[in-house]
């Protein structure tokens, strides 16, 4: 069908039903149709990471995912992670350490960093660099971002022990 | 940029996917993880009329051991390879290679079938298939074909697959007891496509190679199973014989020029990898003198 197709999914826990063209990618669907503009679009070919979202709990590139592919899926965006408080400490650490300047990369960085911290509670700087290797930042020079993620990991480890 | 308009169909079975391919022929593209197809469509390098999504074909997903072979379904994602205990045990080369394939968010979607069908000469998995002597299993209107990995890759983005066929699985002989492997690549940044890479597997007995397979990538239009390995098997390797092998290796390569490196630089880096590989596999650090010439 080149014509619009129906798609039903959960976005940040809320059911969404829509009619979309097959060519519409998930990033544009979130931004244009749902006005969730926290998901940024940089390159549209998978290289920059600004469009990173979670589908079924796993991080993916929303510019390389078609909206119609999310039929029945649960999509979480930066708005969802932010509003639920899941990454409040990580956001605070980014702010404290100047790990953002223009903020264009920040939603994708936060999504990817939180993904790492869920899988590996005490990553070293090398592991942090590796996990964030697919996310470009044109402002900070990365060191402050690594600092913020490392500090959050240590603080969380301290809290849970 | 955004992809041009296309029709989308979600295949319900392998048979259904083959029917759709038969109807639409080369106007259709199979969508697996989308991590190479979608960038190409967004850049308008490709504009298929129909996209056939195979994501629901559970029969193509999964990793199983059958006797002496490890069978990996085409839809198995890079992240599944990374986490699989069977891959770590029976194909440790793949475990070592997979973390060099792109970045976490891309490994969560990208599949082995997609990577092999895409056949980027700088990508890791095709070279591993050649080194491990894999068989690529494809299905088409005429039934199943089994193609040796060494015959499957035909050129840049070119394979033995025809447009009406689906890659369904790969079969890897399980690593022989006592075998060892080596994987290294040069890349600008972790997860980028390689500038030059080497995926090797060997059996070492009493300090010499009883078997050695060297799969180089990003040194030509397809992965290269280097013939020079033959010079290093069943002989005691000396710095002189290794230097000779390195010189012969250069003759086998046909590297391209791009923003990342010149052919001369790629030839040099391939020699560096050969020395490192042989020194590591034989556990003789002195062989990696750094004098790759
Ligand atoms: C930023 C970025 C960095 C990357 N870095 C690397 C890297 O360093 N190394 C690397 O190897 N890869 C890299 N990739 C590519 C990634 O590994 C892809 O996952 C892989 O190349 C294609 O797999 P896919 O499942 O996404 O296939 P798709 O994109 O869905 O398909 C790719 C091609 O194969 C065809 N196809 C797919 N499945 C089948 C099938 N079962 N039968 C027949 N045809 C099929 C499609 O029609 C299409 O032509 C990168 C991608 C991105 C976006
Ligand atoms: S916009 Fe998706 S990775 Fe750049
Ligand atoms: S803060 Fe500007 S791109 Fe990262």
């Amino acid at each position: 069908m080149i014509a619009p197709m129906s798609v039903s999914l959960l976005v940040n826990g809320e059911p969404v039903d829509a009619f979309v063209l097959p060519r519409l990618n998930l990033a544009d669907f979130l931004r244009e149709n749902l006005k969730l503009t926290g998901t940024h679009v940089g390159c549209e070919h998978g290289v920059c990471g600004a469009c990173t979202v979670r589908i079924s709990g796993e991080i993916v590139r929303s510019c390389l995912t078609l909206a119609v592919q999310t039929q029945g899926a649960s999509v979480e965006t930066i708005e969802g992670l932010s509003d639920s408080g899941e990454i409040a400490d990580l956001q605070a650490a980014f702010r404290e350490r100047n790990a953002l300047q223009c903020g264009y990369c920040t939603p994708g960085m936060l999504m990817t960093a939180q993904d790492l911290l869920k899988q590996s509670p005490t990553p070293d700087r090398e592991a942090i660099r590796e996990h964030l290797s697919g996310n470009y930042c044109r402002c900070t020079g990365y060191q402050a971002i690594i600092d913020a993620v490392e500090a959050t990991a240590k603080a969380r480890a301290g809290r849970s022990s | 940029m955004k992809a041009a308009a296309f029709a989308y169909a979600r295949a319900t079975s392998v048979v259904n996917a083959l029917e759709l391919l038969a109807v639409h022929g080369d106007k259709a593209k199979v969508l697996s993880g989308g991590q190479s197809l979608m960038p190409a469509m967004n850049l308008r390098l490709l504009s298929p009329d129909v996209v056939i999504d195979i994501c629901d074909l559970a029969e193509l997903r999964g990793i199983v051991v059958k006797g002496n072979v490890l069978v990996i379904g085409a839809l198995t994602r890079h992240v599944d390879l990374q986490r699989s205990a069977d891959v770590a045990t029976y194909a440790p080369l793949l475990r070592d290679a997979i973390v060099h394939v792109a970045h976490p968010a891309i490994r969560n979607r990208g599949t082995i079938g997609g990577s092999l069908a895409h056949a980027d000469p700088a990508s890791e998995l095709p070279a591993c298939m050649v080194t491990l002597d894999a068989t690529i299993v494809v299905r088409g209107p005429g039934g199943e074909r089994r193609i040796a990995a060494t015959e499957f890759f035909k050129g840049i983005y070119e394979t033995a697959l025809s447009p009406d066929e689906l890659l369904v699985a790969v079969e890897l002989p399980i690593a022989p007891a006592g075998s060892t492997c080596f994987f290294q690549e040069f890349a600008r940044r972790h997860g980028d496509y390689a500038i030059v890479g080497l995926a090797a597997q060997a059996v070492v007995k009493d300090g010499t190679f009883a078997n050695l397979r060297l799969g180089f990538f990003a040194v030509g239009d397809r992965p290269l199973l280097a013939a020079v390995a033959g010079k290093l098997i069943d002989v005691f390797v000396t710095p002189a014989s290794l230097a000779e092998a390195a010189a012969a290796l250069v003759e086998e390569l046909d590297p391209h020029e791009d923003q990342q490196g010149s052919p001369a630089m790629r030839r040099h880096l391939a020699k560096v990898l050969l020395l490192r590989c042989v020194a590591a596999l034989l556990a003789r650090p002195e062989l990696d003198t750094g004098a790759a010439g």
Side-chain angles (χ1 to χ4, degrees), chain A residues 23 28 44 58-59 63 133, chain B residues 1-3 42 103 108 189:
Chain A
R23 67 183 285 229
D28 288 341
E44 300 190 313
E58 293 178 308
I59 55 167
C63 72
S133 65
Chain B
M1 275 177 19
K2 321 276 182 202
N42 287 352
H103 316 284
N108 282 340
R189 180 177 67 144

Side-chain angles (χ1 to χ4, degrees), chain B residues 18-36:
Chain B
L18 292 176
E19 285 165 1
L20 289 165
L21 283 173
V23 172
H24 299 289
D26 56 11
K27 294 199 170 12
K29 273 281 171 193
V30 172
L31 171 63
S32 186
Q35 304 302 292
S36 294

Side-chain angles (χ1 to χ4, degrees), chain A residues 1-2 5 22-23 28 44-46 58-61 63-66 68-69 71 119 130-131 133-134 136, chain B residues 1-8 10 31 35 38-39 42 44 53 77 103-106 108-109 189-190:
Chain A
M1 297 283 108
I2 287 198
M5 299 175 72
R23 67 183 285 229
D28 288 341
E44 300 190 313
H45 59 274
E58 293 178 308
I59 55 167
V60 305
R61 298 285 200 247
C63 72
L64 300 184
T65 307
L66 300 172
V68 292
Q69 286 180 287
Q71 170 59 36
Q119 291 177 34
E130 214 172 290
H131 210 82
S133 65
Y136 277 132
Chain B
M1 275 177 19
K2 321 276 182 202
F6 54 85
Y8 172 88
R10 226 187 238 218
L31 171 63
Q35 304 302 292
M38 289 313 305
N42 287 352
R44 305 267 176 123
D53 190 349
R77 301 172 306 158
H103 316 284
I106 289 157
N108 282 340
R109 301 285 286 188
R189 180 177 67 144
H190 188 96

